[in-house]
Amino acid sequence: MIESTKIKELKGIGEKTEKLFHKIGVDTVGDLIRYYPRGYDVYEEAVPISEAAEGRVVTVTGAVYGRIQVGGSPRMQVTTLHVKDITGTLRVIWFRMPFLRTTLSGGGVITLRGRIVRKKDALVMEHPEIFYPPEKYEEKLHTLQPVYGLTAGLTNNAVVKAVRQAFDNLNLSRETLPEEIRLRYGLAEYNYALRGIHFPEDKEVFCHARNRLVFEEFLEFILALRKLKSGSEKLCNEYVMEPRPEVERFVAELPFALTGAQEKVWREISDDLASDTVMSRLVQGDVGSGKTIVAVLALMTAALNGYQGAMMAPTEVLARQHYESITKLFEEHGIAVKTVLLTGSMTAKEKRKAYDRIECGLAKIIVGTHALIQGAVNYDNLGLVITDEQHRFGVRQRETFAEKGGAPHVLVMSATPIPRTLAIILYGDLDISVIDELPANRLPIKNCVVDTGYRKTAYAFMKKQIAEGRQCYVICPMVEESESLEAENVTDYAASLQEELGGEIAVDFLHGKMRQKEKDAIMDRFSRRESQVLVSTTVIEVGIDVPNAAVMLIENAERFGLAQLHQLRGRVGRGKHQSYCIFMSGSKAKETRERLEILNKTNDGFKIASEDLKLRGPGDLFGIRQSGLMNFKIADVYQDAKILKQANEAADWLIENNHEWLKKLPKYEEPSSVII
Ligand code: ADP
Ligand code: MG
């Protein structure tokens, strides 16, 4: 069996399963072994029933107590059981498994592992794994079981079996890194790393395996970046853009004064635009620091100098939001610059119209999504390209965009603060500007960390804020098992919240399974204030600006990485209203509270992430969703900063020595976009 062998050669994979694997991007055995788990289940020691906390997956051991009942509807039969230990009794339910009544009829002691949820006012263990007799659990204790990203119809077990078979039959002798590099940085061998990432015996093996894969991913990325850089150094400025008085007047007329940081960055950009060499600049500024207006000034300057300027956003919703706010601003200030929108979901006719206007040069500012870089668009005189929320785009996309013009100025904007040393590595070819100041009118967000007992109070608080005209976001607990379950969960949550809040208040929901059009419609409703509450998974788009939204409630906050919680929190506190973020934790543990309290103390995203690391230690981080910065498949810029620096050093060394290995380097493949 070789890596290009189709997976249907594996035992147990027929046509149907093959299609399911195709859906998750796995066609060959090679794809399969590189389909890394998205987390791991750790089989921890059993806890006393009284300590089984809501929202957590726990193991309990107890005696079967009372009768086993089967109820529910014929389509959804529910089997109920009670287990008891000296600290208490717990209700346990399974769906669609009526046969358990027979299996478990012997009673006695049983070990169960499952998630604790709240039903009405009692805690219930839902659909647990059964270890009967309890000795069976001993075998699994302390092991790490891989949890894969799935699709409806494909079980975790099926993936585990397939991956095991692949390893058993595949001759994996190749090493992909130069030996010198591997030894210098103490990196595991490729074989070991791949096996170790799927089936780590313990945390140590996991870390060793992961480090190696992270290093390799960074190294490939950095080398691709270096190649990009060597092709674009110090190009002569073909699009000289002089400062324009209209832009100054526009700034003076804005309802707010630019912050010192915005002014400084705008000066750096306008100097670049008028200089001898072409601009390649990154603007970094935390959420809400006001990057958009700076971009607008640059676009205006391009247009008023007779060139076209384009701005690309990572999502349709964000693109449309930018388009609308630009046209509104121009209208209000009497700026006669034609602006058009171009996104994938527009009809063929609408697109045709936009293409025509772009091609003949009538459109001076073009705002859109990826559609901006697709073949059908021909620019007339493209002098400036801007990408918003750069951390969501890859190197390749930026490259293509730049190729649409001759050698246009490039401005990229990112909300994810990272220290300069890392930014230089990750954005090697760009100069860096930082907007390190928030607009003065902002009231700092008020945060609180509470447990689930506070939920009712939180709802009442939301109701009060809504009565005052504000809007709220609720981030729903994640469901690790699958996206479809997650969708179901969001739907249910929204329905019960709707009931709780009453008919006057419109509750909408958003999840990853929805089509783009549906998501747009929901976001639109929310920004037009037609809905007051938006229940969502973490798909709440980066960059969305609804200044009227003043409350965010995050359920199961303990299950998120702090850096991600910080990004989520950035959706509120964007206007003049006092905003609130309620971190609701399903765990009463002291460490959890301490960790979440970090978010109270600082607003600096990077500091938050490093404090998080200090508290947990790298071995504890798996299973936690990562920062999502730059779409790495396994690497995480925050968590793996040290490895990033090492990989950069290694890249220097390879290039300096013009190493053999560089010639064999496979083409850099960007992981496809993942939503954080
Ligand atoms: P981000 O940096 O996250 O992209 P935006 O550009 O969306 O932030 O700005 C957030 C909000 O702040 C917008 O509603 C914008 O109009 C407003 N804003 C921008 N600059 C200032 C300023 N100097 N003073 C007051 N409000 C500002
Ligand atoms: Mg923005």
mmCIF file with all atom_site columns, all heavy atoms in Angstrom, residues 158-177:
data_model
loop_
_atom_site.group_PDB
_atom_site.id
_atom_site.type_symbol
_atom_site.label_atom_id
_atom_site.label_alt_id
_atom_site.label_comp_id
_atom_site.label_asym_id
_atom_site.label_entity_id
_atom_site.label_seq_id
_atom_site.pdbx_PDB_ins_code
_atom_site.Cartn_x
_atom_site.Cartn_y
_atom_site.Cartn_z
_atom_site.occupancy
_atom_site.B_iso_or_equiv
_atom_site.pdbx_formal_charge
_atom_site.auth_seq_id
_atom_site.auth_comp_id
_atom_site.auth_asym_id
_atom_site.auth_atom_id
_atom_site.pdbx_PDB_model_num
ATOM 1   N N   . ALA A 1 158 ? -15.178 4.755  12.885 1.00 0.00 ? 158 ALA A N   1
ATOM 2   C CA  . ALA A 1 158 ? -14.855 4.377  11.512 1.00 0.00 ? 158 ALA A CA  1
ATOM 3   C C   . ALA A 1 158 ? -13.534 5.014  11.091 1.00 0.00 ? 158 ALA A C   1
ATOM 4   O O   . ALA A 1 158 ? -12.698 4.385  10.432 1.00 0.00 ? 158 ALA A O   1
ATOM 5   C CB  . ALA A 1 158 ? -15.973 4.812  10.570 1.00 0.00 ? 158 ALA A CB  1
ATOM 6   N N   . VAL A 1 159 ? -13.335 6.276  11.486 1.00 0.00 ? 159 VAL A N   1
ATOM 7   C CA  . VAL A 1 159 ? -12.090 6.945  11.121 1.00 0.00 ? 159 VAL A CA  1
ATOM 8   C C   . VAL A 1 159 ? -10.919 6.280  11.850 1.00 0.00 ? 159 VAL A C   1
ATOM 9   O O   . VAL A 1 159 ? -9.883  5.980  11.252 1.00 0.00 ? 159 VAL A O   1
ATOM 10  C CB  . VAL A 1 159 ? -12.138 8.456  11.442 1.00 0.00 ? 159 VAL A CB  1
ATOM 11  C CG1 . VAL A 1 159 ? -10.858 9.139  10.983 1.00 0.00 ? 159 VAL A CG1 1
ATOM 12  C CG2 . VAL A 1 159 ? -13.339 9.116  10.785 1.00 0.00 ? 159 VAL A CG2 1
ATOM 13  N N   . VAL A 1 160 ? -11.115 6.015  13.151 1.00 0.00 ? 160 VAL A N   1
ATOM 14  C CA  . VAL A 1 160 ? -10.042 5.384  13.931 1.00 0.00 ? 160 VAL A CA  1
ATOM 15  C C   . VAL A 1 160 ? -9.626  4.071  13.270 1.00 0.00 ? 160 VAL A C   1
ATOM 16  O O   . VAL A 1 160 ? -8.446  3.810  13.053 1.00 0.00 ? 160 VAL A O   1
ATOM 17  C CB  . VAL A 1 160 ? -10.507 5.119  15.384 1.00 0.00 ? 160 VAL A CB  1
ATOM 18  C CG1 . VAL A 1 160 ? -9.497  4.264  16.135 1.00 0.00 ? 160 VAL A CG1 1
ATOM 19  C CG2 . VAL A 1 160 ? -10.737 6.430  16.112 1.00 0.00 ? 160 VAL A CG2 1
ATOM 20  N N   . LYS A 1 161 ? -10.610 3.261  12.900 1.00 0.00 ? 161 LYS A N   1
ATOM 21  C CA  . LYS A 1 161 ? -10.308 1.958  12.303 1.00 0.00 ? 161 LYS A CA  1
ATOM 22  C C   . LYS A 1 161 ? -9.544  2.120  10.994 1.00 0.00 ? 161 LYS A C   1
ATOM 23  O O   . LYS A 1 161 ? -8.581  1.404  10.732 1.00 0.00 ? 161 LYS A O   1
ATOM 24  C CB  . LYS A 1 161 ? -11.611 1.205  12.032 1.00 0.00 ? 161 LYS A CB  1
ATOM 25  C CG  . LYS A 1 161 ? -12.082 0.446  13.250 1.00 0.00 ? 161 LYS A CG  1
ATOM 26  C CD  . LYS A 1 161 ? -13.111 -0.591 12.821 1.00 0.00 ? 161 LYS A CD  1
ATOM 27  C CE  . LYS A 1 161 ? -13.718 -1.258 14.039 1.00 0.00 ? 161 LYS A CE  1
ATOM 28  N NZ  . LYS A 1 161 ? -15.170 -1.432 13.907 1.00 0.00 ? 161 LYS A NZ  1
ATOM 29  N N   . ALA A 1 162 ? -9.994  3.062  10.181 1.00 0.00 ? 162 ALA A N   1
ATOM 30  C CA  . ALA A 1 162 ? -9.347  3.272  8.890  1.00 0.00 ? 162 ALA A CA  1
ATOM 31  C C   . ALA A 1 162 ? -7.897  3.726  9.087  1.00 0.00 ? 162 ALA A C   1
ATOM 32  O O   . ALA A 1 162 ? -6.980  3.238  8.419  1.00 0.00 ? 162 ALA A O   1
ATOM 33  C CB  . ALA A 1 162 ? -10.130 4.296  8.073  1.00 0.00 ? 162 ALA A CB  1
ATOM 34  N N   . VAL A 1 163 ? -7.691  4.649  10.014 1.00 0.00 ? 163 VAL A N   1
ATOM 35  C CA  . VAL A 1 163 ? -6.338  5.156  10.228 1.00 0.00 ? 163 VAL A CA  1
ATOM 36  C C   . VAL A 1 163 ? -5.428  4.029  10.738 1.00 0.00 ? 163 VAL A C   1
ATOM 37  O O   . VAL A 1 163 ? -4.298  3.865  10.277 1.00 0.00 ? 163 VAL A O   1
ATOM 38  C CB  . VAL A 1 163 ? -6.332  6.340  11.224 1.00 0.00 ? 163 VAL A CB  1
ATOM 39  C CG1 . VAL A 1 163 ? -4.914  6.802  11.502 1.00 0.00 ? 163 VAL A CG1 1
ATOM 40  C CG2 . VAL A 1 163 ? -7.165  7.497  10.690 1.00 0.00 ? 163 VAL A CG2 1
ATOM 41  N N   . ARG A 1 164 ? -5.951  3.225  11.644 1.00 0.00 ? 164 ARG A N   1
ATOM 42  C CA  . ARG A 1 164 ? -5.149  2.099  12.158 1.00 0.00 ? 164 ARG A CA  1
ATOM 43  C C   . ARG A 1 164 ? -4.723  1.172  11.029 1.00 0.00 ? 164 ARG A C   1
ATOM 44  O O   . ARG A 1 164 ? -3.571  0.778  10.927 1.00 0.00 ? 164 ARG A O   1
ATOM 45  C CB  . ARG A 1 164 ? -5.952  1.299  13.182 1.00 0.00 ? 164 ARG A CB  1
ATOM 46  C CG  . ARG A 1 164 ? -5.874  1.899  14.559 1.00 0.00 ? 164 ARG A CG  1
ATOM 47  C CD  . ARG A 1 164 ? -6.224  0.862  15.632 1.00 0.00 ? 164 ARG A CD  1
ATOM 48  N NE  . ARG A 1 164 ? -6.501  1.521  16.885 1.00 0.00 ? 164 ARG A NE  1
ATOM 49  C CZ  . ARG A 1 164 ? -5.564  2.011  17.696 1.00 0.00 ? 164 ARG A CZ  1
ATOM 50  N NH1 . ARG A 1 164 ? -4.277  1.867  17.391 1.00 0.00 ? 164 ARG A NH1 1
ATOM 51  N NH2 . ARG A 1 164 ? -5.888  2.634  18.806 1.00 0.00 ? 164 ARG A NH2 1
ATOM 52  N N   . GLN A 1 165 ? -5.682  0.840  10.176 1.00 0.00 ? 165 GLN A N   1
ATOM 53  C CA  . GLN A 1 165 ? -5.381  -0.042 9.045  1.00 0.00 ? 165 GLN A CA  1
ATOM 54  C C   . GLN A 1 165 ? -4.329  0.557  8.145  1.00 0.00 ? 165 GLN A C   1
ATOM 55  O O   . GLN A 1 165 ? -3.434  -0.115 7.679  1.00 0.00 ? 165 GLN A O   1
ATOM 56  C CB  . GLN A 1 165 ? -6.639  -0.214 8.215  1.00 0.00 ? 165 GLN A CB  1
ATOM 57  C CG  . GLN A 1 165 ? -7.400  -1.468 8.468  1.00 0.00 ? 165 GLN A CG  1
ATOM 58  C CD  . GLN A 1 165 ? -8.401  -1.647 7.351  1.00 0.00 ? 165 GLN A CD  1
ATOM 59  O OE1 . GLN A 1 165 ? -8.052  -2.009 6.229  1.00 0.00 ? 165 GLN A OE1 1
ATOM 60  N NE2 . GLN A 1 165 ? -9.642  -1.355 7.646  1.00 0.00 ? 165 GLN A NE2 1
ATOM 61  N N   . ALA A 1 166 ? -4.469  1.859  7.904  1.00 0.00 ? 166 ALA A N   1
ATOM 62  C CA  . ALA A 1 166 ? -3.520  2.536  7.026  1.00 0.00 ? 166 ALA A CA  1
ATOM 63  C C   . ALA A 1 166 ? -2.113  2.386  7.604  1.00 0.00 ? 166 ALA A C   1
ATOM 64  O O   . ALA A 1 166 ? -1.164  2.043  6.894  1.00 0.00 ? 166 ALA A O   1
ATOM 65  C CB  . ALA A 1 166 ? -3.888  4.007  6.873  1.00 0.00 ? 166 ALA A CB  1
ATOM 66  N N   . PHE A 1 167 ? -1.972  2.619  8.891  1.00 0.00 ? 167 PHE A N   1
ATOM 67  C CA  . PHE A 1 167 ? -0.650  2.497  9.504  1.00 0.00 ? 167 PHE A CA  1
ATOM 68  C C   . PHE A 1 167 ? -0.135  1.055  9.436  1.00 0.00 ? 167 PHE A C   1
ATOM 69  O O   . PHE A 1 167 ? 1.045   0.826  9.252  1.00 0.00 ? 167 PHE A O   1
ATOM 70  C CB  . PHE A 1 167 ? -0.673  2.978  10.961 1.00 0.00 ? 167 PHE A CB  1
ATOM 71  C CG  . PHE A 1 167 ? -0.548  4.468  11.076 1.00 0.00 ? 167 PHE A CG  1
ATOM 72  C CD1 . PHE A 1 167 ? -1.513  5.225  11.723 1.00 0.00 ? 167 PHE A CD1 1
ATOM 73  C CD2 . PHE A 1 167 ? 0.549   5.128  10.525 1.00 0.00 ? 167 PHE A CD2 1
ATOM 74  C CE1 . PHE A 1 167 ? -1.402  6.602  11.820 1.00 0.00 ? 167 PHE A CE1 1
ATOM 75  C CE2 . PHE A 1 167 ? 0.676   6.506  10.620 1.00 0.00 ? 167 PHE A CE2 1
ATOM 76  C CZ  . PHE A 1 167 ? -0.304  7.246  11.272 1.00 0.00 ? 167 PHE A CZ  1
ATOM 77  N N   . ASP A 1 168 ? -1.038  0.096  9.580  1.00 0.00 ? 168 ASP A N   1
ATOM 78  C CA  . ASP A 1 168 ? -0.605  -1.300 9.543  1.00 0.00 ? 168 ASP A CA  1
ATOM 79  C C   . ASP A 1 168 ? -0.103  -1.714 8.172  1.00 0.00 ? 168 ASP A C   1
ATOM 80  O O   . ASP A 1 168 ? 0.766   -2.567 8.058  1.00 0.00 ? 168 ASP A O   1
ATOM 81  C CB  . ASP A 1 168 ? -1.775  -2.229 9.954  1.00 0.00 ? 168 ASP A CB  1
ATOM 82  C CG  . ASP A 1 168 ? -2.078  -2.102 11.435 1.00 0.00 ? 168 ASP A CG  1
ATOM 83  O OD1 . ASP A 1 168 ? -1.220  -1.533 12.150 1.00 0.00 ? 168 ASP A OD1 1
ATOM 84  O OD2 . ASP A 1 168 ? -3.159  -2.553 11.875 1.00 0.00 ? 168 ASP A OD2 1
ATOM 85  N N   . ASN A 1 169 ? -0.656  -1.116 7.135  1.00 0.00 ? 169 ASN A N   1
ATOM 86  C CA  . ASN A 1 169 ? -0.330  -1.585 5.792  1.00 0.00 ? 169 ASN A CA  1
ATOM 87  C C   . ASN A 1 169 ? 0.610   -0.693 5.002  1.00 0.00 ? 169 ASN A C   1
ATOM 88  O O   . ASN A 1 169 ? 1.070   -1.045 3.938  1.00 0.00 ? 169 ASN A O   1
ATOM 89  C CB  . ASN A 1 169 ? -1.617  -1.736 4.980  1.00 0.00 ? 169 ASN A CB  1
ATOM 90  C CG  . ASN A 1 169 ? -2.490  -2.825 5.545  1.00 0.00 ? 169 ASN A CG  1
ATOM 91  O OD1 . ASN A 1 169 ? -2.050  -3.965 5.663  1.00 0.00 ? 169 ASN A OD1 1
ATOM 92  N ND2 . ASN A 1 169 ? -3.689  -2.468 5.962  1.00 0.00 ? 169 ASN A ND2 1
ATOM 93  N N   . LEU A 1 170 ? 0.866   0.467  5.540  1.00 0.00 ? 170 LEU A N   1
ATOM 94  C CA  . LEU A 1 170 ? 1.610   1.449  4.766  1.00 0.00 ? 170 LEU A CA  1
ATOM 95  C C   . LEU A 1 170 ? 3.085   1.365  5.116  1.00 0.00 ? 170 LEU A C   1
ATOM 96  O O   . LEU A 1 170 ? 3.449   1.243  6.276  1.00 0.00 ? 170 LEU A O   1
ATOM 97  C CB  . LEU A 1 170 ? 1.061   2.836  5.129  1.00 0.00 ? 170 LEU A CB  1
ATOM 98  C CG  . LEU A 1 170 ? 1.371   3.984  4.207  1.00 0.00 ? 170 LEU A CG  1
ATOM 99  C CD1 . LEU A 1 170 ? 0.860   3.697  2.817  1.00 0.00 ? 170 LEU A CD1 1
ATOM 100 C CD2 . LEU A 1 170 ? 0.700   5.239  4.747  1.00 0.00 ? 170 LEU A CD2 1
ATOM 101 N N   . ASN A 1 171 ? 3.902   1.415  4.094  1.00 0.00 ? 171 ASN A N   1
ATOM 102 C CA  . ASN A 1 171 ? 5.328   1.431  4.360  1.00 0.00 ? 171 ASN A CA  1
ATOM 103 C C   . ASN A 1 171 ? 5.782   2.887  4.442  1.00 0.00 ? 171 ASN A C   1
ATOM 104 O O   . ASN A 1 171 ? 6.006   3.545  3.446  1.00 0.00 ? 171 ASN A O   1
ATOM 105 C CB  . ASN A 1 171 ? 6.057   0.695  3.234  1.00 0.00 ? 171 ASN A CB  1
ATOM 106 C CG  . ASN A 1 171 ? 7.538   0.659  3.509  1.00 0.00 ? 171 ASN A CG  1
ATOM 107 O OD1 . ASN A 1 171 ? 7.979   0.954  4.628  1.00 0.00 ? 171 ASN A OD1 1
ATOM 108 N ND2 . ASN A 1 171 ? 8.301   0.299  2.494  1.00 0.00 ? 171 ASN A ND2 1
ATOM 109 N N   . LEU A 1 172 ? 5.913   3.370  5.656  1.00 0.00 ? 172 LEU A N   1
ATOM 110 C CA  . LEU A 1 172 ? 6.190   4.793  5.855  1.00 0.00 ? 172 LEU A CA  1
ATOM 111 C C   . LEU A 1 172 ? 7.645   4.986  6.213  1.00 0.00 ? 172 LEU A C   1
ATOM 112 O O   . LEU A 1 172 ? 7.969   5.238  7.357  1.00 0.00 ? 172 LEU A O   1
ATOM 113 C CB  . LEU A 1 172 ? 5.352   5.278  7.040  1.00 0.00 ? 172 LEU A CB  1
ATOM 114 C CG  . LEU A 1 172 ? 4.102   6.090  6.796  1.00 0.00 ? 172 LEU A CG  1
ATOM 115 C CD1 . LEU A 1 172 ? 3.501   6.503  8.115  1.00 0.00 ? 172 LEU A CD1 1
ATOM 116 C CD2 . LEU A 1 172 ? 4.414   7.335  5.959  1.00 0.00 ? 172 LEU A CD2 1
ATOM 117 N N   . SER A 1 173 ? 8.523   4.865  5.240  1.00 0.00 ? 173 SER A N   1
ATOM 118 C CA  . SER A 1 173 ? 9.922   4.965  5.661  1.00 0.00 ? 173 SER A CA  1
ATOM 119 C C   . SER A 1 173 ? 10.519  6.330  5.349  1.00 0.00 ? 173 SER A C   1
ATOM 120 O O   . SER A 1 173 ? 11.570  6.685  5.828  1.00 0.00 ? 173 SER A O   1
ATOM 121 C CB  . SER A 1 173 ? 10.740  3.869  4.998  1.00 0.00 ? 173 SER A CB  1
ATOM 122 O OG  . SER A 1 173 ? 10.541  3.966  3.612  1.00 0.00 ? 173 SER A OG  1
ATOM 123 N N   . ARG A 1 174 ? 9.807   7.122  4.538  1.00 0.00 ? 174 ARG A N   1
ATOM 124 C CA  . ARG A 1 174 ? 10.453  8.362  4.108  1.00 0.00 ? 174 ARG A CA  1
ATOM 125 C C   . ARG A 1 174 ? 10.533  9.368  5.247  1.00 0.00 ? 174 ARG A C   1
ATOM 126 O O   . ARG A 1 174 ? 9.683   9.413  6.133  1.00 0.00 ? 174 ARG A O   1
ATOM 127 C CB  . ARG A 1 174 ? 9.716   8.959  2.912  1.00 0.00 ? 174 ARG A CB  1
ATOM 128 C CG  . ARG A 1 174 ? 8.464   9.675  3.290  1.00 0.00 ? 174 ARG A CG  1
ATOM 129 C CD  . ARG A 1 174 ? 7.671   10.046 2.072  1.00 0.00 ? 174 ARG A CD  1
ATOM 130 N NE  . ARG A 1 174 ? 6.406   10.627 2.513  1.00 0.00 ? 174 ARG A NE  1
ATOM 131 C CZ  . ARG A 1 174 ? 6.155   11.927 2.513  1.00 0.00 ? 174 ARG A CZ  1
ATOM 132 N NH1 . ARG A 1 174 ? 7.055   12.784 2.103  1.00 0.00 ? 174 ARG A NH1 1
ATOM 133 N NH2 . ARG A 1 174 ? 4.996   12.371 2.941  1.00 0.00 ? 174 ARG A NH2 1
ATOM 134 N N   . GLU A 1 175 ? 11.580  10.158 5.207  1.00 0.00 ? 175 GLU A N   1
ATOM 135 C CA  . GLU A 1 175 ? 11.731  11.249 6.166  1.00 0.00 ? 175 GLU A CA  1
ATOM 136 C C   . GLU A 1 175 ? 11.657  12.521 5.345  1.00 0.00 ? 175 GLU A C   1
ATOM 137 O O   . GLU A 1 175 ? 12.283  12.634 4.306  1.00 0.00 ? 175 GLU A O   1
ATOM 138 C CB  . GLU A 1 175 ? 13.077  11.119 6.890  1.00 0.00 ? 175 GLU A CB  1
ATOM 139 C CG  . GLU A 1 175 ? 13.448  12.288 7.779  1.00 0.00 ? 175 GLU A CG  1
ATOM 140 C CD  . GLU A 1 175 ? 12.368  12.626 8.810  1.00 0.00 ? 175 GLU A CD  1
ATOM 141 O OE1 . GLU A 1 175 ? 12.014  11.764 9.611  1.00 0.00 ? 175 GLU A OE1 1
ATOM 142 O OE2 . GLU A 1 175 ? 11.877  13.775 8.778  1.00 0.00 ? 175 GLU A OE2 1
ATOM 143 N N   . THR A 1 176 ? 10.876  13.492 5.804  1.00 0.00 ? 176 THR A N   1
ATOM 144 C CA  . THR A 1 176 ? 10.682  14.669 4.967  1.00 0.00 ? 176 THR A CA  1
ATOM 145 C C   . THR A 1 176 ? 11.573  15.850 5.332  1.00 0.00 ? 176 THR A C   1
ATOM 146 O O   . THR A 1 176 ? 11.621  16.825 4.603  1.00 0.00 ? 176 THR A O   1
ATOM 147 C CB  . THR A 1 176 ? 9.212   15.115 5.030  1.00 0.00 ? 176 THR A CB  1
ATOM 148 O OG1 . THR A 1 176 ? 8.831   15.171 6.394  1.00 0.00 ? 176 THR A OG1 1
ATOM 149 C CG2 . THR A 1 176 ? 8.311   14.156 4.279  1.00 0.00 ? 176 THR A CG2 1
ATOM 150 N N   . LEU A 1 177 ? 12.250  15.776 6.473  1.00 0.00 ? 177 LEU A N   1
ATOM 151 C CA  . LEU A 1 177 ? 13.115  16.903 6.853  1.00 0.00 ? 177 LEU A CA  1
ATOM 152 C C   . LEU A 1 177 ? 14.579  16.522 6.695  1.00 0.00 ? 177 LEU A C   1
ATOM 153 O O   . LEU A 1 177 ? 14.941  15.358 6.856  1.00 0.00 ? 177 LEU A O   1
ATOM 154 C CB  . LEU A 1 177 ? 12.868  17.283 8.315  1.00 0.00 ? 177 LEU A CB  1
ATOM 155 C CG  . LEU A 1 177 ? 11.610  18.054 8.659  1.00 0.00 ? 177 LEU A CG  1
ATOM 156 C CD1 . LEU A 1 177 ? 11.527  18.267 10.162 1.00 0.00 ? 177 LEU A CD1 1
ATOM 157 C CD2 . LEU A 1 177 ? 11.569  19.396 7.934  1.00 0.00 ? 177 LEU A CD2 1
#
